[in-house]
Amino acid sequence: MSLSLDQALAVFQPQLPLAVAYSAGADSTALLLACHRRWPGQVRAIHINHGLQAAATQFEQHAYEVTAAWGVPLKVCAVQAHPEPGQSPEDAARRARYSALCQAAKD
């Protein structure tokens, strides 16, 4: 049995206020909008800019535009995700992202 998004959000009772990791892609935009509609005024977005993609600045700008239009507070964190010897770029980016998200969620 699968739940609709509305059903899933109805049973999800997070501690508020809620921080949503917001990449500015389609999935995180849908999640942010759903949370914003469910808990208006209780949701903020955190965007991590790794600077690893050519479009990183465009994603950050899109995050600003979307959150401003919805009235959702946004915190942008720029991280350096340089891999250590033997570490993949993806792992370095993931670790930097999770560390920044944890810190930003506490702020």
Side-chain angles (χ1 to χ4, degrees):
M1 178 179 146
S2 63
L3 299 176
S4 71
L5 178 60
D6 288 334
Q7 291 170 323
L9 284 172
V11 297
F12 180 53
Q13 298 297 319
Q15 182 178 345
L16 299 173
L18 179 66
V20 174
Y22 183 48
S23 70
D27 294 345
S28 66
T29 298
L31 177 62
L32 182 62
L33 179 58
C35 291
H36 171 61
R37 286 182 174 168
R38 176 85 166 110
W39 301 288
Q42 295 293 312
V43 177
R44 63 190 174 107
I46 303 170
H47 178 78
I48 308 298
N49 186 337
H50 303 93
L52 297 177
Q53 296 176 324
T57 302
Q58 293 165 332
F59 286 128
E60 183 177 322
Q61 183 60 40
H62 181 71
Y64 277 116
E65 291 168 2
V66 168
T67 56
W70 293 344
V72 173
L74 173 66
K75 179 170 181 86
V76 173
C77 303
V79 299
Q80 298 297 317
H82 302 293
E84 299 292 325
Q87 183 183 34
S88 73
E90 294 83 6
D91 185 48
R94 183 175 31 260
R95 289 176 185 266
R97 178 173 61 251
Y98 289 170
S99 176
L101 285 169
C102 287
Q103 184 59 45
K106 293 176 188 176
D107 294 345

